[in-house]
PDB file of all heavy atoms in Angstrom:
ATOM      1  N   ARG F 200      11.675  42.289  21.354  1.00  0.00           N
ATOM      2  CA  ARG F 200      10.762  41.194  21.043  1.00  0.00           C
ATOM      3  C   ARG F 200      11.538  39.917  20.722  1.00  0.00           C
ATOM      4  O   ARG F 200      11.193  38.838  21.179  1.00  0.00           O
ATOM      5  CB  ARG F 200       9.926  41.612  19.848  1.00  0.00           C
ATOM      6  CG  ARG F 200       8.564  41.014  19.819  1.00  0.00           C
ATOM      7  CD  ARG F 200       7.863  41.459  18.531  1.00  0.00           C
ATOM      8  NE  ARG F 200       7.063  40.359  18.016  1.00  0.00           N
ATOM      9  CZ  ARG F 200       5.856  40.077  18.506  1.00  0.00           C
ATOM     10  NH1 ARG F 200       5.346  40.788  19.479  1.00  0.00           N
ATOM     11  NH2 ARG F 200       5.167  39.059  18.015  1.00  0.00           N
ATOM     12  N   ILE F 201      12.581  40.062  19.920  1.00  0.00           N
ATOM     13  CA  ILE F 201      13.413  38.892  19.584  1.00  0.00           C
ATOM     14  C   ILE F 201      13.968  38.275  20.867  1.00  0.00           C
ATOM     15  O   ILE F 201      13.913  37.063  21.066  1.00  0.00           O
ATOM     16  CB  ILE F 201      14.591  39.300  18.666  1.00  0.00           C
ATOM     17  CG1 ILE F 201      14.071  39.836  17.341  1.00  0.00           C
ATOM     18  CG2 ILE F 201      15.523  38.116  18.445  1.00  0.00           C
ATOM     19  CD1 ILE F 201      15.162  40.290  16.404  1.00  0.00           C
ATOM     20  N   PHE F 202      14.446  39.154  21.733  1.00  0.00           N
ATOM     21  CA  PHE F 202      15.033  38.675  22.991  1.00  0.00           C
ATOM     22  C   PHE F 202      13.992  37.962  23.838  1.00  0.00           C
ATOM     23  O   PHE F 202      14.184  36.829  24.284  1.00  0.00           O
ATOM     24  CB  PHE F 202      15.618  39.874  23.758  1.00  0.00           C
ATOM     25  CG  PHE F 202      15.904  39.604  25.198  1.00  0.00           C
ATOM     26  CD1 PHE F 202      16.966  38.803  25.568  1.00  0.00           C
ATOM     27  CD2 PHE F 202      15.092  40.137  26.188  1.00  0.00           C
ATOM     28  CE1 PHE F 202      17.225  38.555  26.905  1.00  0.00           C
ATOM     29  CE2 PHE F 202      15.349  39.891  27.529  1.00  0.00           C
ATOM     30  CZ  PHE F 202      16.409  39.093  27.883  1.00  0.00           C
ATOM     31  N   TRP F 203      12.853  38.624  24.017  1.00  0.00           N
ATOM     32  CA  TRP F 203      11.879  38.173  25.004  1.00  0.00           C
ATOM     33  C   TRP F 203      11.083  36.972  24.517  1.00  0.00           C
ATOM     34  O   TRP F 203      10.838  36.035  25.269  1.00  0.00           O
ATOM     35  CB  TRP F 203      10.952  39.341  25.356  1.00  0.00           C
ATOM     36  CG  TRP F 203      10.062  39.078  26.511  1.00  0.00           C
ATOM     37  CD1 TRP F 203       8.723  38.798  26.469  1.00  0.00           C
ATOM     38  CD2 TRP F 203      10.434  39.048  27.892  1.00  0.00           C
ATOM     39  NE1 TRP F 203       8.248  38.606  27.733  1.00  0.00           N
ATOM     40  CE2 TRP F 203       9.271  38.751  28.628  1.00  0.00           C
ATOM     41  CE3 TRP F 203      11.650  39.258  28.572  1.00  0.00           C
ATOM     42  CZ2 TRP F 203       9.269  38.645  30.010  1.00  0.00           C
ATOM     43  CZ3 TRP F 203      11.642  39.150  29.947  1.00  0.00           C
ATOM     44  CH2 TRP F 203      10.470  38.848  30.660  1.00  0.00           C
ATOM     45  N   ARG F 204      10.690  37.006  23.220  1.00  0.00           N
ATOM     46  CA  ARG F 204       9.785  35.975  22.736  1.00  0.00           C
ATOM     47  C   ARG F 204      10.508  34.810  22.091  1.00  0.00           C
ATOM     48  O   ARG F 204       9.991  33.704  22.058  1.00  0.00           O
ATOM     49  CB  ARG F 204       8.796  36.574  21.721  1.00  0.00           C
ATOM     50  CG  ARG F 204       7.980  37.731  22.271  1.00  0.00           C
ATOM     51  CD  ARG F 204       7.073  37.286  23.392  1.00  0.00           C
ATOM     52  NE  ARG F 204       5.955  36.478  22.928  1.00  0.00           N
ATOM     53  CZ  ARG F 204       4.812  36.975  22.493  1.00  0.00           C
ATOM     54  NH1 ARG F 204       4.647  38.273  22.430  1.00  0.00           N
ATOM     55  NH2 ARG F 204       3.840  36.180  22.106  1.00  0.00           N
ATOM     56  N   ILE F 205      11.690  35.047  21.520  1.00  0.00           N
ATOM     57  CA  ILE F 205      12.338  33.969  20.757  1.00  0.00           C
ATOM     58  C   ILE F 205      13.555  33.409  21.490  1.00  0.00           C
ATOM     59  O   ILE F 205      13.667  32.205  21.717  1.00  0.00           O
ATOM     60  CB  ILE F 205      12.755  34.473  19.358  1.00  0.00           C
ATOM     61  CG1 ILE F 205      11.497  34.935  18.612  1.00  0.00           C
ATOM     62  CG2 ILE F 205      13.482  33.379  18.598  1.00  0.00           C
ATOM     63  CD1 ILE F 205      11.776  35.608  17.312  1.00  0.00           C
ATOM     64  N   MET F 206      14.493  34.290  21.880  1.00  0.00           N
ATOM     65  CA  MET F 206      15.756  33.798  22.433  1.00  0.00           C
ATOM     66  C   MET F 206      15.626  33.329  23.881  1.00  0.00           C
ATOM     67  O   MET F 206      16.122  32.275  24.249  1.00  0.00           O
ATOM     68  CB  MET F 206      16.822  34.897  22.335  1.00  0.00           C
ATOM     69  CG  MET F 206      17.040  35.432  20.939  1.00  0.00           C
ATOM     70  SD  MET F 206      17.591  34.187  19.774  1.00  0.00           S
ATOM     71  CE  MET F 206      19.344  34.496  19.788  1.00  0.00           C
ATOM     72  N   LEU F 207      14.959  34.131  24.710  1.00  0.00           N
ATOM     73  CA  LEU F 207      14.916  33.809  26.142  1.00  0.00           C
ATOM     74  C   LEU F 207      14.310  32.431  26.424  1.00  0.00           C
ATOM     75  O   LEU F 207      14.853  31.662  27.222  1.00  0.00           O
ATOM     76  CB  LEU F 207      14.165  34.918  26.893  1.00  0.00           C
ATOM     77  CG  LEU F 207      14.523  35.076  28.362  1.00  0.00           C
ATOM     78  CD1 LEU F 207      16.016  35.291  28.541  1.00  0.00           C
ATOM     79  CD2 LEU F 207      13.766  36.255  28.978  1.00  0.00           C
ATOM     80  N   PRO F 208      13.187  32.083  25.755  1.00  0.00           N
ATOM     81  CA  PRO F 208      12.628  30.751  26.026  1.00  0.00           C
ATOM     82  C   PRO F 208      13.600  29.619  25.682  1.00  0.00           C
ATOM     83  O   PRO F 208      13.503  28.531  26.244  1.00  0.00           O
ATOM     84  CB  PRO F 208      11.404  30.690  25.113  1.00  0.00           C
ATOM     85  CG  PRO F 208      11.024  32.099  24.891  1.00  0.00           C
ATOM     86  CD  PRO F 208      12.311  32.864  24.867  1.00  0.00           C
ATOM     87  N   LEU F 209      14.540  29.903  24.763  1.00  0.00           N
ATOM     88  CA  LEU F 209      15.451  28.838  24.332  1.00  0.00           C
ATOM     89  C   LEU F 209      16.633  28.652  25.287  1.00  0.00           C
ATOM     90  O   LEU F 209      17.366  27.683  25.171  1.00  0.00           O
ATOM     91  CB  LEU F 209      15.974  29.130  22.923  1.00  0.00           C
ATOM     92  CG  LEU F 209      14.896  29.032  21.835  1.00  0.00           C
ATOM     93  CD1 LEU F 209      15.458  29.471  20.506  1.00  0.00           C
ATOM     94  CD2 LEU F 209      14.364  27.611  21.748  1.00  0.00           C
ATOM     95  N   VAL F 210      16.856  29.611  26.173  1.00  0.00           N
ATOM     96  CA  VAL F 210      17.968  29.433  27.110  1.00  0.00           C
ATOM     97  C   VAL F 210      17.436  29.078  28.501  1.00  0.00           C
ATOM     98  O   VAL F 210      18.086  29.319  29.513  1.00  0.00           O
ATOM     99  CB  VAL F 210      18.904  30.661  27.184  1.00  0.00           C
ATOM    100  CG1 VAL F 210      19.647  30.837  25.890  1.00  0.00           C
ATOM    101  CG2 VAL F 210      18.143  31.908  27.550  1.00  0.00           C
ATOM    102  N   GLY F 211      16.261  28.471  28.532  1.00  0.00           N
ATOM    103  CA  GLY F 211      15.658  28.042  29.805  1.00  0.00           C
ATOM    104  C   GLY F 211      16.622  27.313  30.727  1.00  0.00           C
ATOM    105  O   GLY F 211      16.743  27.657  31.908  1.00  0.00           O
TER     106      GLY F 211
END
Side-chain angles (χ1 to χ4, degrees):
Chain F
R200 210 183 142 81
I201 297 178
F202 164 72
W203 190 255
R204 303 295 288 274
I205 300 173
M206 304 299 262
L207 205 55
L209 292 174
V210 292

